[in-house]
Amino acid sequence: MICGNFSQDFDRTKFFIDLVVAIIIAYLAYRAGMLDRSGGLAAGILGTVVIGLGGVSWALVLLTFFISASGISMLFHVRKSVVEGDFAKGSQRDASQVAANGGIGSVLVLVYVILI
């Protein structure tokens, strides 16, 4: 038995729906210019973990953080463009940035599933 009743409660249909939802959100963020390709892939994987294991409430927290951080980046784009030349990364988030910002949420949802 893994993680309490987790292995017995695994629902393939729900997992597939969670995967599709995460991929759609990651794709929309990619098309909006918030993520590059690697960031879109990482967001799809991370989103599947968070939605699949934590449910909608965990996913909403992650989405709120992502949308607000992206909105702030867009809001201050002019100011950022002045100093952006000094840095290698632009405003699109890549896989390492997605992992850095969403990885903690993924770890917390895994710990939550294991302990509860």
Side-chain angles (χ1 to χ4, degrees):
M1 184 181 316
I2 301 171
C3 304
N5 290 328
F6 179 72
S7 63
Q8 294 172 355
D9 296 338
F10 185 75
D11 181 355
R12 290 178 191 194
T13 304
K14 181 187 175 312
F15 174 78
F16 180 74
I17 292 169
D18 297 338
L19 175 67
V20 170
V21 168
I23 288 172
I24 289 171
I25 292 169
Y27 177 74
L28 292 173
Y30 169 74
R31 294 289 295 170
M34 297 177 188
L35 300 169
D36 68 7
R37 281 187 180 190
S38 69
L41 178 62
I45 294 168
L46 190 125
T48 301
V49 170
V50 172
I51 295 169
L53 297 178
V56 175
S57 59
W58 284 80
L60 287 176
V61 171
L62 188 65
L63 276 171
T64 301
F65 176 76
F66 173 69
I67 291 169
S68 63
S70 296
I72 290 170
S73 291
M74 289 179 186
L75 183 65
F76 292 106
H77 178 70
V78 173
R79 185 182 293 172
K80 250 180 92 173
S81 65
V82 173
V83 296
E84 198 169 74
D86 298 337
F87 301 100
K89 296 185 180 197
S91 60
Q92 288 185 328
R93 282 150 178 79
D94 62 15
S96 64
Q97 291 169 314
V98 170
N101 292 321
I104 293 173
S106 295
V107 169
L108 290 175
V109 77
L110 286 170
V111 168
Y112 173 79
V113 168
I114 291 169
L115 295 179
I116 299 301

